[in-house]
Amino acid sequence: GLASAAEPSGYELVEHVERLLWGKTNQGVSEMTVTTPRWTRTLKLRFWMDRPRYTLIRILAPPKERGIGSLRIQAEMWNYLPKVARIIKIPSSMMLQPWMGSDFSNDDLVKESSMVEDYTHTLLGTEKLDGVPAYRVQSIPKPDAAVVWGKLVYFIRVTDRMPLKQEYYDERGELIKTMTFGEVRALGGRVIPTRWSMQPLAKPGNRTVMVIREMTFDQPIDPGFFSLANLQNPHD
């Protein structure tokens, strides 16, 4: 019928969300608050991305962690620790490890793979999420893709195709953690969710909330900016 003809494909939906959230390039400032049953800490971050190839993240505050950074070039990742002036190469086997003690993994932040190209996307239908009609899109890795998840599921609002939630499953099909998107507002010339909350299922008392404070999209970034030299000696 007419309704089904108007339905977007899973690929179209994921491509739209990825372009909305990340653009061709993006740069900005965010605050990451990590909460556990015992403590809470907030890091202020500056980030630059040219997806899916390059990512640079630098901690601005607190002073104790200032200057710590992460760099990804294609499939390779490094962390820089200014206190000991050391660069540490992060092997791909460590991509699921927590970034700076948060519920975001190395892979979540530096995005080793292309969400759009490395998965096959299927629209499974629509369902209500907190009373709001949402597309449910399942993404399964392509056979030879270097990805860390067995399956990803996006919930995308039908009315404006805004991402509401993403679920992360391991190879056995177990739900490991969920990301909830909120506080949709105008930032960087587009309307995006500015509060991203990651919740690991095995640790109900833990969560990491990323709040985007500043964002600029689609400004060219010289590929030479994403270098080990710049990771150690910032000239931003």
Side-chain angles (χ1 to χ4, degrees):
L2 284 172
S4 59
E7 276 201 337
S9 70
Y11 182 90
E12 279 176 281
L13 287 166
V14 171
E15 189 185 38
H16 162 79
V17 168
E18 289 288 298
R19 201 170 54 234
L20 173 75
L21 296 180
W22 306 108
K24 174 73 190 78
T25 72
N26 66 72
Q27 49 193 295
V29 174
S30 62
E31 275 167 17
M32 173 187 271
T33 300
V34 185
T35 302
T36 76
R38 295 178 309 288
W39 49 263
T40 296
R41 64 196 262 259
T42 297
L43 301 172
K44 191 173 183 188
L45 312 174
R46 185 177 284 283
F47 57 86
W48 299 261
M49 295 186 193
D50 183 343
R51 286 163 63 90
R53 292 172 300 174
Y54 306 109
T55 306
L56 179 61
I57 301 171
R58 187 169 287 137
I59 297 180
L60 303 177
K64 192 160 69 87
E65 272 113 352
R66 183 175 172 81
I68 292 175
S70 293
L71 170 71
R72 183 181 61 84
I73 300 174
Q74 308 285 26
E76 299 191 289
M77 176 179 174
W78 300 265
N79 284 347
Y80 176 62
L81 304 175
K83 278 239 176 22
V84 289
R86 276 194 66 199
I87 284 183
I88 295 162
K89 181 97 162 50
I90 308 296
S92 48
S93 59
M94 300 281 286
M95 292 310 280
L96 278 179
Q97 295 302 310
W99 188 84
M100 294 298 296
S102 73
D103 299 299
F104 284 82
S105 66
N106 289 318
D107 183 71
D108 291 328
L109 282 178
V110 304
K111 283 283 184 273
E112 187 181 9
S113 56
S114 161
M115 175 74 198
V116 177
E117 300 306 332
D118 289 348
Y119 292 82
T120 300
H121 312 286
T122 310
L123 174 59
L124 298 181
T126 58
E127 59 188 76
K128 290 273 178 75
L129 194 67
D130 299 327
V132 177
Y135 295 117
R136 182 192 177 102
V137 180
Q138 176 177 279
S139 302
I140 304 285
K142 292 179 180 173
D144 52 352
V147 301
V148 294
W149 297 107
K151 177 174 76 170
L152 296 167
V153 177
Y154 253 133
F155 295 84
I156 300 165
R157 195 157 58 197
V158 170
T159 51
D160 56 1
R161 301 190 183 179
M162 190 66 62
L164 300 175
K165 189 168 83 167
Q166 190 173 23
E167 296 177 334
Y168 299 77
Y169 294 82
D170 67 13
E171 292 81 24
R172 293 191 306 278
E174 299 246 348
L175 179 59
I176 302 299
K177 59 186 183 179
T178 62
M179 173 103 85
T180 308
F181 300 93
E183 287 177 25
V184 173
R185 62 185 185 89
L187 196 62
R190 46 178 86 177
V191 176
I192 57 168
T194 58
R195 185 180 191 275
W196 305 27
S197 181
M198 190 72 89
Q199 176 85 56
L201 265 72
K203 302 178 187 163
N206 290 40
R207 84 156 29 116
T208 298
V209 176
M210 182 88 85
V211 177
I212 304 171
R213 298 292 182 200
E214 300 169 25
M215 194 72 152
T216 304
F217 290 101
D218 297 340
Q219 277 192 358
I221 306 173
D222 177 1
F225 177 84
F226 299 97
S227 67
L228 289 170
N230 190 29
L231 182 63
Q232 300 168 80
N233 306 302
H235 53 68
D236 44 66

